[in-house]
Amino acid sequence: MRLTTKGRYAVTAMLDLAYHSSKRPVALTDIAKRQDISLSYLEQLFAKLRRAGMVTGVRGPGGGYQLSRPAHEINIAEIITAVDETLDSTRCGGKGNCQNDQPCLTHELWMGLSEQIRAYLAGISLGDLLSRHEIQQVANRQDREMQGVSIGEESVN
Amino acid sequence: MRLTTKGRYAVTAMLDLAYHSSKRPVALTDIAKRQDISLSYLEQLFAKLRRAGMVTGVRGPGGGYQLSRPAHEINIAEIITAVDETLDSTRCGGKGNCQNDQPCLTHELWMGLSEQIRAYLAGISLGDLLSRHEIQQVANRQDREMQGVSIGEESVN
DNA sequence: CAAAAAATTGACTAAATTACTAGGGATTGG
DNA sequence: CCAATCCCTAGTAATTTAGTCAATTTTTTG
C-alpha cells in the first residue's frame, strides 16, 4: 500500500487549514511553520488538492487557501487519493494481472484489505477530526508555539 | 504504512506452503517457480519466518519447509510483521514524537488506522484463505502450469 | 502605479528503501 | 561420496520519496 508522508502531510495540512479557516484564507507559509512541512513541498501538495477541487487558492496579499466545501463534507480518503493517487494494497492496482496476466494467489486478500482501508478513511471527515479533544489540544499547542517563534526564531535545537 | 511486495510475497509463499503441505516438506525452489519469486529473495524471507517460529526448515535432499503450526493458527498480520517489521501507519512508529517530541496533529488518526488494518489482517488465517474458492482455483491453475513447464515449456497438450 | 504578497509551475536532486543478485557454507538422504 | 536443500552475508540496481530551486503570474495594498 502507499501511505507515505505525502498522504500524511496532505491530511495534516488540510486539517490545519480547516482548523484555522475563518473568513480569511490561510497562507501556506503559516501552515508550513505550524506543521513543520517544507513550503515548497506543501505547494506541490496543494496544487493537487486544488486540481481535485478540494481547496481554492486566493492570490495576492492576505491570500492563501480555503476549503472549497465544509469540513464535514471532506473525508480523509479523498485527500489521500488526491495527492497519493491510490489507497490500493495490491501490486497490480486492482487489475488482477499480478502474475503474468492472471491474478496472483493472494489477489483477493489485498483487494479486501484495500476496501477495508478505504472504507475506514472515507468514514472520517475533517469535521469529525476537528471535534476530537486530542486534536484540539495539539492545534492549540501549535498556535502557542507559533507566537513564540515569530520573533525569537528557533532556539538552540 | 509499509505494505510492500516483501510482505505480499511472504503471505503468498506461506499460502503456497500451506496449500502444498502434506507429509513431505516443500522446497523453496518449487514455491519460487509457482509464485514467480526469486529463490534468493524467498530464502531471505523464510529466514525471517523461521526465526519468528512460523516455519521449520528441513535440510538435505527431500527437505524444504513446513508450517510449524496448523494453517488456521497462523494469521496474516503475523506473517507480515515477521518479514516487514511493522503494520504501523504513523510516521513515528506509534511513539507520538512525530513533531519535535510531541504528537503531530494527525497522530491519533494514523494510530486508529493502524489498529484497523492490524485487526483486519489478524482476523484472517491461512486456513481461512485455503478454504476460499478463488484461491483454490488459482492454486490449481498454478499447479497445472508448473507441470507443463517442467519439461517442455508451455505445451499445447 | 509600484511594490509586495502570495499562488502557480516545472525541472531537478539527494537520500532512502526495496527488491534482487551473488556466492559461499552446512546438512543430510540415497 | 554427491547432489539437493537449507542457511547466511554482502553487495547492488532500480525505484520512490521528500525535498530544493527558480521563474512566473496574479492580486492587493499603499
Side-chain angles (χ1 to χ4, degrees), chain A residues 47-66:
Chain A
K48 297 193 180 191
L49 292 169
R50 189 174 51 78
R51 277 180 228 122
M54 316 182 68
V55 298
T56 318
V58 179
R59 293 179 164 196
Y65 282 94
Q66 285 171 320

Side-chain angles (χ1 to χ4, degrees), chain A residues 20-49:
Chain A
H20 292 94
S21 73
S22 46
K23 294 288 180 305
R24 311 194 38 119
V26 180
L28 287 192
T29 42
D30 290 344
I31 300 183
K33 276 184 213 157
R34 275 192 296 263
Q35 306 304 333
D36 266 338
I37 305 176
S38 124
L39 176 59
S40 284
Y41 200 44
L42 262 189
E43 286 171 343
Q44 288 174 51
L45 299 182
F46 272 78
K48 297 193 180 191
L49 292 169

Side-chain angles (χ1 to χ4, degrees), chain A residues 33-99:
Chain A
K33 276 184 213 157
R34 275 192 296 263
Q35 306 304 333
D36 266 338
I37 305 176
S38 124
L39 176 59
S40 284
Y41 200 44
L42 262 189
E43 286 171 343
Q44 288 174 51
L45 299 182
F46 272 78
K48 297 193 180 191
L49 292 169
R50 189 174 51 78
R51 277 180 228 122
M54 316 182 68
V55 298
T56 318
V58 179
R59 293 179 164 196
Y65 282 94
Q66 285 171 320
L67 297 182
S68 306
R69 283 173 272 153
H72 64 269
E73 287 180 19
I74 299 181
N75 72 59
I76 309 303
E78 280 185 275
I79 300 177
I80 295 181
T81 49
V83 299
D84 234 2
E85 326 296 26
T86 169
L87 274 178
D88 188 48
S89 349
T90 62
R91 177 195 189 54
C92 55
K95 291 195 289 277
N97 56 356
C98 354
Q99 190 182 14

Side-chain angles (χ1 to χ4, degrees), chain A residues 7-23:
Chain A
R8 279 191 293 254
Y9 277 176
V11 175
T12 303
M14 286 291 279
L15 188 54
D16 181 284
L17 177 54
Y19 183 81
H20 292 94
S21 73
S22 46
K23 294 288 180 305

Side-chain angles (χ1 to χ4, degrees), chain B residues 23-114:
Chain B
K23 294 287 181 305
R24 313 192 39 118
V26 180
L28 286 192
T29 41
D30 291 344
I31 300 183
K33 277 184 213 154
R34 277 192 294 263
Q35 306 304 333
D36 266 338
I37 305 176
S38 126
L39 176 60
S40 278
Y41 200 45
L42 260 190
E43 285 175 342
Q44 290 172 49
L45 299 182
F46 272 78
K48 296 194 180 193
L49 293 168
R50 188 173 48 80
R51 278 180 226 122
M54 317 182 67
V55 298
T56 318
V58 180
R59 292 179 164 194
Y65 282 95
Q66 285 171 319
L67 295 182
S68 305
R69 283 174 270 154
H72 65 269
E73 288 179 18
I74 299 181
N75 73 60
I76 308 303
E78 279 184 278
I79 300 177
I80 296 182
T81 48
V83 300
D84 234 2
E85 325 296 27
T86 170
L87 274 177
D88 188 48
S89 349
T90 62
R91 176 195 191 52
C92 56
K95 291 194 289 275
N97 55 356
C98 354
Q99 189 182 14
N100 27 281
D101 265 353
Q102 306 268 11
C104 72
L105 197 53
T106 44
H107 181 73
E108 289 302 321
L109 174 65
W110 310 124
M111 291 291 280
L113 175 62
S114 307

Side-chain angles (χ1 to χ4, degrees), chain B residues 30 33 143-155:
Chain B
D30 291 344
K33 277 184 213 154
D143 281 349
R144 286 198 306 276
E145 285 172 0
M146 266 282 278
Q147 302 196 327
V149 169
S150 61
I151 301 183
E153 290 292 328
E154 13 165 7
S155 61

